[in-house]
Amino acid sequence: MNLSVDSIDSIDSVERRDSAISDITVNDSKDNLPFEKKSEPIFNAGIDKDFIKKFNSKCRHYNDNVIILNLEQSIELINYYYSSNNELDSTTSMFPYLHGLTNSRQRIFFNKQFKNLNNDSFDLNQYKKYDFEEELKLKQFHLMILNSQDEDFRLTNSIDYKKVLSTIDTTIQSDGDLNNRNFKEQLNLYGRISQFVIYNNHCQFDINLKAALEISLQYPSQKVYIMDFNFKMWKNFPMEYLNEYNFEKISNLPINSVNNKVFNCKLLKWEQNLLWKFNSMKWLNKNICLGNLIDFNYINNLPKNDFDLIINCNEFCSIPKVLDSNYIEFPSSGYLDFNHCNLNDLINYLNFLKLIEKLVHENKNIFIFSFDGFTGLTLLTLSISLILGEGHLEDLILQLYERNDYIKLYYFKNDLVFLKKFEKFIFYGKNNFKIGEKLNFINYNHLPITKINNKVDWFNYNKDNNFPCKIFKNLYLGSLNHANSEIILKTMKFNRIISIGEKPKWVNYEKKNLLFSYLNEQDEVIEIFELKIKDPELPHLKSVIFINNLKDDGKDGIYELLMTVPKHIQSKYLINPNDLTKTLFHCRIGVSRSASLVIACLMKYQKLSLIESYMIVRINRFNIIIQPNLRIFYDLYLYDDHLSDRRLHTWYSLCDEIYKLNRNYIG
């Protein structure tokens, strides 16, 4: 899976408020600014102290901060932590703290007093003017579940206790980068406002006590609870709090490793298996089937299969020279450069396509697969469409996306550059070339070059030309570029567009189109418009919902959109995927604001949890890593709690798993 390496690094900067960085003047002095280091941890000021006080009073105390729990008390504490009585803290309670305010630039930008509406620059020495109280007024009883010894944790949402011992340096740096996707630091930030419960699978008290004392030494103002009961009593622990219950589906997934490398986090295993499931065998035509590695393993293990030729697209091979086998390897998408191919390479490629053409005409079946089932085989799929079809490359791509049966493709820029140059060979070879022949021209550069036809509003070989992706039934996710393209809208035949924070250039609206508005925390107006579309050039498109002024900067959230906007207005942008209305969601890139609303749609109508919805949107967004900013993701976390009968995940464990998942792609 070739996820875009620059996708997460870039989205922090591209969708941020104007002047968020450039209008802050940095003092040239290298001396630290006079920011005080706070030695006391941030602590709860509004939690249910009556419950905590009564609970602690009936437990056995090792010392003032370390408390011993029997089985019944352990269950009572965990029950309370996950219950609705332990109300989750609101976004306004947890932010901007969870952004990790470790540098002056971060602290100023996320200060509610800092508006910067007039592009006023100021010196960082004025930091104190914009400082805010760090002490949080929290309602929730925060608890971190720590394991002192094991690799496979028994309790769900557990982490290794050593992770909370590596604390954040609270010294505030005099400068730094803005970061509103700081998933890595959430364990440490959450640890500073939490109490702790520690256990191990075999209930070894001495090991737990040693770990508890280490934690207590580092967090002297916070309680550490030790679970102390016979390990045989785990059978009496409520199943909903056990990993083997919550992650049973993931544990039982058939694929546990790739190339003998075991998946290093639950979500990576889940992601890869979902990719294979969503990109399993689809027919390009009645003779050619596209699939993935798992499909191939299944077919290969059958006593007899129905395929006369199997083609493996991978990055470890070159254009095949010999075509005398029913199993052939072919270069993966993204790995061929036309300028690095010689004439023999091009002849071999054409020979290969003519073989496929011959088999199709003989009504023989062909199975083409790549590792993930779409990325690696796209180049060959488009080449086959050219040799079998009529029209130029752009026309054939559009024909694939006009089909009722959705076939996922992902092509790299150099794939289209290669195919556009190779297109003249294919056109020549359709009628003037037989398998094994030599090309009967001397200088192939003199063959007429096919020009990009009138699809100029989309196909540009210096840019990403991929189409919006299907997330679930009639929900599609894309970018502002997609919404601006007449070709995309005509081809995909969208009935409705939902634009979040970014308006398509062809959309004009007036106040009469306003459905609803509200003030955000920055006292800025968020407006929701509905425009009825009657365009003979776009007969399928009926409406555009435009949510104006919602930014992806870590300040703006979507809680109001999900929870406080009237229901009849919510129904305009929280769409049931089962509706027949084909809908395109987009923001600027399609990774944060619009992706979050699509996630919310799945949560609301498909009754899926936040993490399930997140993973489905993520694996269907092609090779771009979707990642809502922390503020928006926390709003989704609150929405998940609102929709769910019981709380399944904790903020710190969710963020830790997502960080570990992303680390596999961006380091």
Side-chain angles (χ1 to χ4, degrees):
M1 180 182 177
N2 300 307
L3 287 169
S4 172
V5 174
D6 62 0
S7 52
I8 285 185
D9 293 339
S10 63
I11 55 181
D12 255 358
S13 60
V14 294
E15 299 196 34
R16 188 174 289 135
R17 289 175 191 270
D18 293 339
S19 77
I21 297 178
S22 59
D23 291 328
I24 298 178
T25 304
V26 180
N27 192 319
D28 290 334
S29 172
K30 294 183 179 180
D31 297 332
N32 285 335
L33 299 180
F35 305 151
E36 296 179 2
K37 179 176 178 178
K38 300 201 173 188
S39 57
E40 291 299 317
I42 299 170
F43 191 58
N44 317 43
I47 61 175
D48 185 353
K49 292 184 177 179
D50 288 338
F51 170 82
I52 303 301
K53 185 176 181 180
K54 289 176 184 178
F55 179 80
N56 289 347
S57 67
K58 63 185 181 183
C59 299
R60 183 160 57 97
H61 288 242
Y62 180 84
N63 59 30
D64 289 343
N65 291 331
V66 178
I67 300 173
I68 315 299
L69 307 179
N70 60 29
L71 176 65
E72 181 182 355
Q73 292 161 346
S74 299
I75 294 172
E76 183 180 0
L77 182 67
I78 297 294
N79 264 331
Y80 176 70
Y81 175 55
Y82 285 115
S83 74
S84 57
N85 292 329
N86 184 26
E87 181 183 352
L88 290 182
D89 287 308
S90 68
T91 314
T92 53
S93 299
M94 297 297 283
F95 284 87
Y97 169 71
L98 288 180
H99 284 308
L101 306 175
T102 56
N103 67 70
S104 52
R105 190 183 300 271
Q106 192 98 330
R107 294 171 76 87
I108 292 171
F109 180 70
F110 288 114
N111 189 313
K112 292 178 182 178
Q113 297 180 50
F114 175 58
K115 303 297 183 183
N116 203 21
L117 297 178
N118 299 315
N119 296 330
D120 296 326
S121 61
F122 59 90
D123 197 298
L124 289 179
N125 282 319
Q126 298 185 36
Y127 163 80
K128 286 296 181 183
K129 174 182 175 182
Y130 296 96
D131 196 9
F132 45 82
E133 291 296 325
E134 277 198 69
E135 184 172 348
L136 304 180
K137 307 297 183 183
L138 303 178
K139 295 180 181 179
Q140 183 185 358
F141 171 67
H142 293 270
L143 186 70
M144 293 189 76
I145 302 170
L146 311 179
N147 188 291
S148 64
Q149 185 181 35
D150 309 293
E151 291 185 4
D152 295 320
F153 306 138
R154 193 142 205 172
L155 288 175
T156 191
N157 297 314
S158 299
I159 61 167
D160 185 338
Y161 87 99
K162 294 186 182 70
K163 287 189 174 182
V164 302
L165 296 178
S166 53
T167 59
I168 298 173
D169 184 358
T170 56
T171 302
I172 302 166
Q173 303 300 316
S174 60
D175 193 10
D177 295 327
L178 292 175
N179 185 353
N180 60 27
R181 288 176 172 80
N182 196 4
F183 284 78
K184 177 181 180 180
E185 300 294 355
Q186 295 310 297
L187 283 182
N188 288 323
L189 287 164
Y190 200 88
R192 293 171 61 198
I193 59 174
S194 292
Q195 317 307 308
F196 305 97
V197 61
I198 193 158
Y199 77 100
N200 61 55
N201 295 353
H202 293 88
C203 301
Q204 295 161 296
F205 179 78
D206 55 336
I207 294 175
N208 288 334
L209 178 60
K210 181 177 180 295
L213 293 175
E214 286 184 68
I215 295 166
S216 183
L217 185 65
Q218 183 147 329
Y219 298 92
S221 299
Q222 291 150 262
K223 303 294 184 187
V224 184
Y225 300 92
I226 299 176
M227 290 185 176
D228 183 32
F229 50 83
N230 189 293
F231 75 93
K232 295 180 180 178
M233 301 300 289
W234 278 116
K235 63 183 180 182
N236 297 316
F237 219 88
M239 287 294 293
E240 61 263 32
Y241 303 139
L242 300 180
N243 261 334
E244 49 262 43
Y245 174 80
N246 282 293
F247 290 100
E248 181 179 7
K249 289 182 180 179
I250 298 179
S251 301
N252 294 334
L253 287 172
I255 307 301
N256 295 294
S257 65
V258 173
N259 297 329
N260 296 320
K261 184 177 180 181
V262 178
F263 297 125
N264 64 350
C265 70
K266 295 185 184 77
L267 293 189
L268 183 62
K269 179 179 181 180
W270 197 9
E271 177 184 69
Q272 188 57 69
N273 280 270
L274 280 174
L275 269 170
W276 285 322
K277 179 179 179 180
F278 274 83
N279 298 293
S280 186
M281 302 175 74
K282 294 181 175 66
W283 290 85
L284 179 66
N285 56 40
K286 69 184 185 69
N287 297 106
I288 299 177
C289 182
L290 310 177
N292 59 45
L293 178 65
I294 308 307
D295 299 325
F296 168 71
N297 289 337
Y298 170 75
I299 291 170
N300 201 41
N301 287 323
L302 292 175
K304 184 178 180 181
N305 65 66
D306 296 326
F307 294 103
D308 300 280
L309 176 64
I310 293 177
I311 304 169
N312 175 5
C313 298
N314 65 78
E315 62 267 36
F316 304 110
C317 62
S318 56
I319 298 171
K321 299 177 182 178
V322 180
L323 306 176
D324 58 356
S325 170
N326 63 353
Y327 174 87
I328 297 175
E329 294 190 343
F330 191 83
S332 177
S333 303
Y335 281 84
L336 286 182
D337 185 330
F338 190 88
N339 294 326
H340 294 160
C341 292
N342 58 39
L343 181 58
N344 286 331
D345 292 327
L346 301 175
I347 292 173
N348 289 334
Y349 199 146
L350 190 55
N351 259 316
F352 186 57
L353 293 178
K354 293 295 286 186
L355 171 65
I356 293 172
E357 180 187 47
K358 177 176 180 292
L359 292 175
V360 169
H361 288 163
E362 294 173 356
N363 202 30
K364 301 290 183 64
N365 289 336
I366 303 169
F367 178 65
I368 303 172
F369 77 96
S370 66
F371 180 79
D372 60 13
F374 67 99
T375 304
L377 53 73
T378 294
L379 175 66
L380 181 56
T381 300
L382 294 179
S383 300
I384 292 170
S385 298
L386 279 170
I387 197 74
L388 296 180
E390 297 294 333
H392 291 279
L393 176 63
E394 299 89 350
D395 300 306
L396 293 171
I397 290 174
L398 296 180
Q399 289 172 23
L400 287 172
Y401 282 98
E402 287 174 340
R403 295 167 48 142
N404 291 326
D405 56 329
Y406 178 77
I407 293 180
K408 178 187 282 190
L409 297 174
Y410 183 90
Y411 36 83
F412 300 90
K413 294 176 187 176
N414 60 316
D415 289 336
L416 293 192
V417 172
F418 178 93
L419 285 170
K420 201 60 192 173
K421 293 181 178 180
F422 188 56
E423 191 175 48
K424 58 186 179 181
F425 285 85
I426 296 177
F427 287 169
Y428 176 86
K430 281 185 177 183
N431 301 313
N432 303 303
F433 184 76
K434 295 181 180 179
I435 298 174
E437 285 186 347
K438 297 291 184 180
L439 287 179
N440 61 355
F441 54 83
I442 299 174
N443 189 346
Y444 62 90
N445 288 320
H446 289 165
L447 281 175
I449 297 174
T450 57
K451 297 180 179 179
I452 297 175
N453 50 17
N454 61 356
K455 309 300 186 293
V456 292
D457 129 314
W458 183 248
F459 292 101
N460 182 331
Y461 298 111
N462 294 317
K463 297 180 179 179
D464 179 19
N465 293 277
N466 283 284
F467 280 54
C469 55
K470 182 178 181 178
I471 301 298
F472 200 89
K473 295 189 177 179
N474 284 314
L475 291 189
Y476 288 74
L477 179 59
S479 67
L480 179 60
N481 288 338
H482 292 136
N484 280 331
S485 170
E486 184 179 342
I487 290 175
I488 295 293
L489 300 182
K490 281 184 175 180
T491 301
M492 303 291 286
K493 297 182 176 61
F494 292 116
N495 308 123
R496 171 175 47 202
I497 298 174
I498 298 177
S499 307
I500 300 97
E502 309 289 341
K503 182 181 71 67
K505 61 186 179 183
W506 52 270
V507 168
N508 297 308
Y509 63 94
E510 302 174 4
K511 285 297 181 182
K512 66 180 181 180
N513 304 123
L514 182 65
L515 289 176
F516 190 77
S517 65
Y518 61 89
L519 287 177
N520 65 13
E521 292 175 31
Q522 288 69 246
D523 294 324
E524 298 170 343
V525 180
I526 307 296
E527 300 170 308
I528 304 171
F529 294 92
E530 181 177 31
L531 295 92
K532 301 298 183 181
I533 306 299
K534 294 182 179 179
D535 186 344
E537 295 295 320
L538 299 170
H540 295 88
L541 186 60
K542 303 303 180 185
S543 67
V544 173
I545 302 296
F546 173 44
I547 302 175
N548 184 34
N549 209 30
L550 183 67
K551 303 176 182 68
D552 183 40
D553 59 359
K555 288 185 176 183
D556 284 355
I558 61 171
Y559 184 83
E560 293 88 352
L561 291 175
L562 300 178
M563 300 290 289
T564 63
V565 171
K567 299 294 184 185
H568 71 283
I569 305 295
Q570 285 186 28
S571 66
K572 302 287 186 178
Y573 53 81
L574 288 180
I575 306 302
N576 190 334
N578 293 314
D579 287 349
L580 297 179
T581 308
K582 191 174 181 180
T583 303
L584 170 66
F585 284 79
H586 79 89
C587 46
R588 184 172 180 180
I589 301 176
V591 297
S592 185
R593 291 167 291 180
S594 55
S596 297
L597 281 188
V598 174
I599 289 170
C601 291
L602 297 183
M603 293 166 64
K604 179 179 176 67
Y605 292 104
Q606 300 302 314
K607 311 300 182 187
L608 299 172
S609 69
L610 167 57
I611 194 61
E612 289 171 323
S613 303
Y614 169 81
M615 292 300 290
I616 287 174
V617 175
R618 179 185 173 105
I619 64 104
N620 282 313
R621 186 62 176 101
F622 291 174
N623 288 32
I624 296 176
I625 302 175
I626 70 142
Q627 196 56 77
N629 69 57
L630 280 170
R631 172 64 188 261
I632 290 178
F633 195 70
Y634 193 86
D635 285 340
L636 289 171
Y637 178 63
L638 296 176
Y639 191 54
D640 190 31
D641 189 63
H642 167 74
L643 294 174
S644 303
D645 295 331
R646 65 185 181 91
R647 197 170 298 158
L648 295 174
H649 303 288
T650 62
W651 174 253
Y652 67 86
S653 63
L654 271 176
C655 291
D656 187 49
E657 282 295 311
I658 289 172
Y659 165 67
K660 288 190 292 186
L661 176 60
N662 289 340
R663 191 173 56 187
N664 288 279
Y665 303 112
I666 62 173

